[in-house]
Amino acid sequence: MTTHRIFNFSAGPAVLPEEVLVEARDNLLSLGQSGIGILECSHRSKEFEAILAEAETNLRELLGVPSGYRVLFLSGGATMQFSMVPMNLLLPGTVGDYVLTGEWSKKALIEAQRVGETHVAATTEPEQFRRIPRSDELHCSERSAYVHTTSNNTIWGTEWHHEPDAAGRPIVCDMSSDFLSRPVDVARYGLIYAGAQKNAGPAGVTVVIVRDDMLRLDKAAQAKLPIMLNYRTYIENKSMYNTPPVFPIYIVHLVARWLRRFGGLAKMAEHNRAKAQLIYDAIDGVSGFYRGHAARDSRSLMNITFRLPTEALEEQFAKEAKAAGMDGLKGHRSVGGIRASVYNAFPIAGAQALAHFMTDFAARHG
Ligand SMILES: *Cc1c(COP(=O)(O)O)cnc(C)c1O
């Protein structure tokens, strides 16, 4: 049975590899030869334990995670990490430095302000978040516990193309929307977190990669933390203190296998550059009709944001694109315009189709 699928440009939850979906479908009724489907099996079963272990091994392999780092699977989305990061890392007398590059980093800051002392190390908000700050624009606190950055700004369509330089301070990075899209030098980070639903799986699981020495809360302070908000709970119980999100973890496991078959993250980064280039060329090619939101050196390879001459044309663009088999192109409500999200699993044929459509639409309406 083949199912009709369209080009899904959604920003998240987003497109998943078809191979992964087909395998998951088959395993809904019976995981391997077990006779029990993946939605029905105990998280303590040997089948699930093997899935969890392989997911971790493959993520470590793909990202080159050095020893001394834990790979954890949590619930609560990236948004829960906005709270867990300061609750676990912001010790009394220290400051959480935040680099503001979009809506999600602002939300992360607001949660940290509830917990302790914070400082804005840099912001590009006065420029409508069109760009990522240069290293020389980062002014971090002397008493910094960490410097929080957001590697890809899903809403505005900007992405860091240099590793943040915080002069030796530990970097905590929200990688939700470009996680596993390119190689990362994990050793430069104290903690990385990513909600799975943009690039790594379905909604419901968040991957956290944390260096052991980041966790310095003493026993008394830890005792005051709710058990589910303490990273040590996940470390000590191998992410299984309570029932973990079994199905989302299973899908992340299949996606990690798929990425390894694909050839790893360097290969995936090339693929993503080629896809994004097609659409950016269409923006730049029709002079004046499309206006990209991001500054050129900050353009995201995952979320491509642009405006048309009028809002009426933007609405028509999204409508006609949908009729042509391309959905999810309407920009985020806070920004407007058009946003094309082209995560790992998004096919190059879809980027070609959009680029053709853009050129044709501009010719008809320009
Ligand atoms: C989507 C997103 C979030 C929010 O993720 P939830 O899992 O919905 O909490 C946070 N940060 C970034 C960069 C995102 O793209």
Side-chain angles (χ1 to χ4, degrees):
M1 181 191 77
T2 51
T3 308
H4 172 63
R5 286 173 58 81
I6 61 168
F7 292 127
N8 175 11
F9 288 92
S10 167
V15 59
L16 286 165
E18 213 159 295
E19 286 163 65
V20 164
L21 298 175
V22 168
E23 187 170 351
R25 180 183 65 187
D26 293 346
N27 284 312
L28 280 183
L29 286 172
S30 173
L31 193 55
Q33 297 304 309
S34 69
I36 294 175
I38 179 64
L39 292 171
E40 308 161 302
C41 75
S42 163
H43 59 296
R44 307 283 175 199
S45 65
K46 66 177 191 325
E47 284 82 6
F48 183 70
E49 281 192 356
I51 285 168
L52 187 65
E54 192 189 326
E56 172 172 349
T57 304
N58 281 339
L59 290 179
R60 284 185 178 274
E61 171 85 23
L62 285 163
L63 287 158
V65 178
S67 63
Y69 283 79
R70 310 291 180 143
V71 177
L72 311 172
F73 299 89
L74 289 78
S75 302
T79 303
M80 199 169 84
Q81 297 311 304
F82 297 168
S83 304
M84 279 183 78
V85 163
M87 288 171 91
N88 286 266
L89 308 186
L90 201 48
L91 270 54
T94 68
V95 176
D97 276 299
Y98 281 75
V99 180
L100 303 186
T101 51
E103 307 309 316
W104 295 116
S105 47
K106 280 167 68 180
K107 287 190 168 159
L109 170 66
I110 289 168
E111 294 313 308
Q113 285 168 339
R114 297 183 208 277
V115 176
E117 196 179 336
T118 61
H119 169 72
V120 174
T123 175
T124 52
E125 187 163 23
E127 298 158 68
Q128 289 83 47
F129 293 124
R130 281 177 200 283
R131 64 180 185 89
I132 298 301
R134 297 181 308 274
S135 296
D136 66 2
E137 292 175 286
L138 263 55
H139 301 290
C140 303
S141 161
E142 287 297 316
R143 293 177 290 118
S144 186
Y146 59 83
V147 181
H148 182 282
T149 61
T150 310
S151 57
N152 183 76
N153 299 281
T154 327
I155 294 174
W156 297 94
T158 63
E159 189 172 15
W160 291 72
H161 295 295
H162 57 281
E163 305 273 1
D165 179 3
R169 296 170 183 84
I171 296 166
V172 169
C173 187
D174 176 359
M175 290 194 187
S176 295
S177 54
D178 64 358
F179 188 59
L180 304 178
S181 74
R182 56 179 181 176
V184 170
D185 185 1
V186 174
R188 296 187 63 125
Y189 296 86
L191 187 150
I192 289 168
Y193 63 91
Q197 72 271 24
K198 310 288 164 59
N199 219 7
V205 65
T206 305
V207 178
V208 171
I209 301 173
V210 59
R211 201 171 62 217
D212 277 325
D213 69 1
M214 295 297 290
L215 304 174
R216 286 194 294 255
L217 279 188
D218 62 26
K219 283 262 179 289
Q222 278 187 55
K224 290 200 184 111
L225 278 186
I227 190 123
M228 290 301 284
L229 299 179
N230 185 348
Y231 288 122
R232 292 210 178 273
T233 304
Y234 298 83
I235 292 173
E236 285 160 16
N237 298 280
K238 295 192 154 58
S239 302
M240 294 223 284
Y241 174 76
N242 72 331
T243 316
V246 170
F247 188 70
I249 290 172
Y250 167 68
I251 300 291
V252 169
H253 147 74
L254 293 184
V255 168
R257 272 189 180 172
W258 172 77
L259 278 165
R260 290 198 61 178
R261 287 198 301 275
F262 191 88
L265 300 190
K267 200 79 185 291
M268 185 48 78
E270 253 174 61
H271 177 63
N272 287 331
R273 264 194 301 277
K275 283 185 292 181
Q277 192 63 49
L278 286 165
I279 299 169
Y280 283 119
D281 282 349
I283 291 174
D284 298 336
V286 193
S287 90
F289 189 77
Y290 298 111
R291 280 170 295 125
H293 178 76
R296 277 172 190 261
D297 64 355
S298 300
R299 283 175 162 180
S300 168
L301 300 187
M302 299 282 101
N303 314 98
I304 300 166
T305 49
F306 55 96
R307 305 295 311 240
L308 274 66
T310 65
E311 280 183 25
L313 278 171
E314 288 168 350
E315 213 149 282
Q316 196 173 342
F317 181 98
K319 209 171 116 194
E320 285 187 24
K322 186 164 180 172
M326 291 174 275
D327 202 6
L329 284 161
K330 210 167 156 16
H332 188 272
R333 58 191 182 279
S334 63
V335 181
I338 302 293
R339 172 172 57 173
S341 299
V342 287
Y343 299 115
N344 285 354
F346 191 86
I348 193 134
Q352 282 159 347
L354 179 62
H356 282 141
F357 175 81
M358 287 171 69
T359 308
D360 178 62
F361 189 90
R364 284 187 286 117
H365 298 281

